[in-house]
Amino acid sequence: SRLDDLFDENDIRLPDTPDQDTKKHYPLAELKNLILSIDWEITDEVLEKFIQQLQDVKIMYQHDKIVLAYLQILNSLGNYIKINRAKSHPKTFKVLNAVFSSLDNVVLTRDMAEPVKKKMLLAEINRFKNLKAAIARSKSAPQRKPVAVAPKAETPAVELAEEPARVEKPVVE
């Protein structure tokens, strides 16, 4: 009975207990969970849910062009990861997290001024463009073929031809 008194869940609500109204208070909760899942393991199921969740959030924020631009970047990154999987550029996941973090900040800070939101968005657009350029460079780099160099022989064939061959005659008795 002492344990029941100590661990009675009816009296105290733990802060990490999920609320049923979480989506109302934090509309990006599911999106955040999916990004963490992508960081952990890239699966078809998680990527499909991620892209679907982006579509759902787009509907929720259809009036906010800045949020829609963030979602478009996240969608592009999600599709890139879906196609390339583990072969994705190493900075892709860093950019994905940075873009989401910035979006999260814009959504949660309701009194943020429009120019500040635009400045943050432009920073993420530049980060995304830099990633695209890095991906393009990495794709073009392997296409260059190295020039083949013939290995050097230890003894050149010309030197062998110049030396007379010595043949010893057997001694007959």
Side-chain angles (χ1 to χ4, degrees):
S1 69
R2 285 183 172 178
L3 287 174
D4 288 340
D5 290 339
L6 288 174
F7 296 107
D8 190 13
E9 293 182 14
N10 294 331
D11 294 338
I12 303 170
R13 184 167 188 118
L14 299 174
D16 59 345
T17 304
D19 254 343
Q20 292 189 3
D21 296 334
T22 301
K23 287 186 179 180
K24 289 180 184 176
H25 293 96
Y26 184 57
L28 302 178
E30 183 64 23
L31 198 57
K32 184 176 187 175
N33 290 336
L34 291 168
I35 288 175
L36 292 173
S37 296
I38 291 170
D39 277 344
W40 185 255
E41 182 179 11
I42 304 169
T43 64
D44 284 333
E45 181 183 349
V46 171
L47 290 168
E48 289 296 326
K49 285 181 181 178
F50 176 71
I51 292 170
Q52 182 57 51
Q53 185 63 32
L54 286 171
Q55 298 306 317
D56 294 346
V57 175
K58 277 183 185 179
I59 293 169
M60 191 181 316
Y61 288 98
Q62 63 189 358
H63 63 280
D64 192 336
K65 289 183 181 182
I66 292 175
V67 171
L68 290 176
Y70 277 108
L71 295 173
Q72 187 175 359
I73 294 170
L74 290 172
N75 191 52
S76 295
L77 291 169
N79 285 325
Y80 171 75
I81 293 168
K82 185 177 178 183
I83 292 168
N84 293 289
R85 303 283 178 159
K87 295 178 185 177
S88 297
H89 192 279
K91 291 184 180 179
T92 303
F93 301 98
K94 190 175 185 177
V95 172
L96 179 74
N97 285 309
V99 171
F100 178 77
S101 178
S102 185
L103 168 65
D104 194 35
N105 195 7
V106 167
V107 169
L108 291 178
T109 311
R110 297 185 192 273
D111 58 345
M112 186 182 292
E114 199 72 17
V116 175
K117 289 181 183 181
K118 286 181 181 179
K119 186 175 181 179
M120 290 175 64
L121 175 61
L122 287 174
E124 296 309 324
I125 288 172
N126 287 333
R127 187 185 315 251
F128 178 67
K129 285 181 179 180
N130 290 338
L131 174 65
K132 282 176 57 175
I135 291 168
R137 281 192 306 273
S138 69
K139 283 185 179 181
S140 65
Q143 292 176 354
R144 287 184 265 160
K145 294 183 180 180
V147 177
V149 177
K152 293 183 179 180
E154 287 183 26
T155 310
V158 176
E159 286 182 16
L160 290 176
E162 291 176 3
E163 290 182 28
R166 294 186 182 173
V167 179
E168 303 235 357
K169 294 184 182 180
V171 179
V172 179
E173 291 186 23

